[in-house]
Amino acid sequence: MTTYSENNSSIKNWNEDDRPREKLATKGRSSLSDAELLAIIMGSGSRNESAVELAKRILKSANNNWNELAKYSITDLCLFKGIGEAKAISIITALEIGRRRNTQDVLERKKISSSNDAAIILQQQIGDLPNEEFWIMYLNQGNRIIKTEQISRGGITQTSVDVRLIFKRSLELMATGIILSHNHPSGNLVPSAADKSITQKIKEGALLLDIQVLDHVIVSQKNYYSFADEGLI
């Protein structure tokens, strides 16, 4: 009986470094060729051709130029064996997103220069909430906001904080500085012993990761308390 070996050109048989999705995840988007990027958009090739090989053929027809490829219609793309309407729409959609991106201005991240700058933003987020929430403001090296996110939510008087989540997210966002914050629904802004303890714990851990804890801001609807302003951090 004749046995048939699995097709070695199948993407799942390639070296992991040569698989577009895995390559993007491990080496970053800039490591991918144009054909590999297009292959990810398509998702798969045909029975006789890998997604990357099909992508190379499509790009070659457009003189390896994204602007030329953007002129292709669904009908044009479907002329390639292995491209159906769904894949053609995916390609056109991705190129349209790129076109629209080029027409938009890059949003400037807000710079935090003082506790008041941070408090204004944080009060809008959590100042009038009925329950305590703990938030982190992640900053880049220029003290511009990368992201502001909730870490935990508690009851009326307290919330628990998983320090590991703070550091994990800081590393994911490549933040060099963070500002801690939580609200006091009672309106009493005096930090508790627990507030001081968690601040110190996070500060000590952040030092090991070369992340600076710039402040811990406690907010209410109208006022705020800054650990940095009070010399507590």
Side-chain angles (χ1 to χ4, degrees):
M1 183 177 71
T2 302
T3 58
Y4 296 91
S5 60
E6 191 165 311
N7 183 358
N8 287 327
S9 67
S10 174
I11 287 181
K12 65 182 179 181
N13 289 324
W14 293 7
N15 184 297
E16 189 166 317
D17 287 344
D18 295 328
R19 301 177 193 171
R21 291 189 184 89
E22 288 82 352
K23 188 174 179 181
L24 187 149
T26 58
K27 296 185 176 182
R29 54 192 171 185
S30 62
S31 69
L32 271 64
S33 66
D34 286 354
E36 289 170 328
L37 290 170
L38 183 56
I40 291 176
I41 293 169
M42 295 189 301
S44 64
S46 64
R47 178 174 296 180
N48 300 316
E49 195 173 34
S50 73
V52 174
E53 290 168 341
L54 176 56
K56 286 180 179 178
R57 189 156 58 88
I58 294 171
L59 286 168
K60 185 178 180 180
S61 73
N63 296 315
N64 293 306
N65 187 290
W66 289 112
N67 292 308
E68 287 300 310
L69 184 58
K71 297 176 183 178
Y72 284 26
S73 66
I74 293 176
T75 301
D76 294 332
L77 289 169
C78 286
L79 293 175
F80 293 90
K81 185 177 180 180
I83 298 293
E85 185 176 4
K87 287 182 184 177
I89 289 173
S90 293
I91 293 170
I92 291 171
T93 299
L95 292 170
E96 176 61 15
I97 290 172
R99 185 193 68 79
R100 295 187 187 188
R101 179 189 175 189
N102 286 333
T103 65
Q104 295 179 338
D105 294 330
V106 176
L107 294 178
E108 185 175 357
R109 291 172 171 168
K110 184 172 180 58
K111 184 173 183 177
I112 301 299
S113 300
S114 66
S115 60
N116 187 63
D117 290 343
I120 290 173
I121 295 171
L122 293 163
Q123 280 178 318
Q124 294 172 353
Q125 297 278 1
I126 58 176
D128 58 357
L129 297 180
N131 299 301
E132 268 202 23
E133 293 190 5
F134 201 97
W135 285 58
I136 302 292
M137 183 178 285
Y138 301 94
L139 308 174
N140 64 18
Q141 197 165 7
N143 284 352
R144 293 188 181 277
I145 299 174
I146 300 173
K147 212 168 188 64
T148 304
E149 291 183 339
Q150 180 201 81
I151 289 295
S152 64
R153 183 176 185 272
I156 297 175
T157 59
Q158 63 180 356
T159 180
S160 60
V161 179
D162 189 335
V163 176
R164 295 170 300 179
L165 290 179
I166 296 174
F167 296 144
K168 178 178 181 291
R169 192 63 173 137
S170 296
L171 294 173
E172 288 174 346
L173 295 172
M174 299 180 69
T176 58
I178 57 176
I179 292 176
L180 320 177
S181 180
H182 72 284
N183 60 313
H184 277 184
S186 67
N188 179 8
L189 295 173
V190 178
S192 65
D195 293 337
K196 295 177 181 178
S197 176
I198 192 63
T199 302
Q200 186 61 29
K201 183 177 181 180
I202 294 172
K203 181 180 178 181
E204 290 173 358
L207 286 174
L208 299 175
L209 300 173
D210 201 24
I211 298 171
Q212 188 176 6
V213 179
L214 300 171
D215 204 346
H216 185 163
V217 180
I218 302 174
V219 299
S220 65
Q221 193 171 26
K222 296 182 178 180
N223 297 304
Y224 72 92
Y225 181 99
S226 163
F227 277 55
D229 290 352
E230 300 298 327
L232 296 178
I233 203 167

